[in-house]
Amino acid sequence: QVELVESGGGLVQPGGSLRLSCAVSGSIFRINAMGWYRQAPGKERELVADITSGGSTKYAESVKGRFTISKDNAKITVYLQMNSLKPEDTAVYYCNGRSASYDYWGQGTQVTVSS
């Protein structure tokens, strides 16, 4: 079993920054890649950023140049640095761990961008 625990969400003004963290524990050897997804009210969950075990990254077009995904292998933690935040970034952000046969999810953390 794999457990993912997110932290770092909150309320921020437009143009501000937040850093989300996802602590990973359990059978981490199963994990091939980690990612951040988000889901806004009335919308489907969407991929925000993804990082493989080798360190390759990909981003949604809407966040390129503003968000950065990274990982600390020693701390077994994945981060999402979010800069230049916009109101449309408001959503619940979920950490995802992907194995060969299963997706693991965290409980989600709320990010609200509002003045």
Side-chain angles (χ1 to χ4, degrees), residues 2-3 5 11 16 18 27 31-32 34 37 43 45 49 52 59 61-62 68-69 76-77 97-98 101 107 110 112 115:
V2 174
E3 185 178 14
V5 180
L11 173 64
L18 281 175
S27 303
I31 301 299
N32 299 321
M34 298 289 299
Y37 287 70
K43 294 189 177 181
R45 191 174 295 189
T52 68
Y59 296 91
E61 285 295 325
S62 60
T68 303
I69 189 170
I76 319 178
T77 300
R98 190 164 69 248
S101 58
Q107 81 285 357
Q110 177 71 46
T112 302
S115 55

Side-chain angles (χ1 to χ4, degrees), residues 19-72:
R19 188 177 81 157
L20 305 183
S21 300
C22 175
V24 187
S25 62
S27 303
I28 60 175
F29 63 90
R30 300 177 184 271
I31 301 299
N32 299 321
M34 298 289 299
W36 288 95
Y37 287 70
R38 67 186 181 187
Q39 187 167 19
K43 294 189 177 181
E44 293 187 355
R45 191 174 295 189
E46 63 175 358
L47 174 68
V48 176
D50 185 84
I51 185 166
T52 68
S53 56
S56 298
T57 59
K58 65 179 179 182
Y59 296 91
E61 285 295 325
S62 60
V63 307
K64 279 184 180 178
R66 300 188 298 121
F67 290 11
T68 303
I69 189 170
S70 63
K71 59 178 181 172
D72 184 328

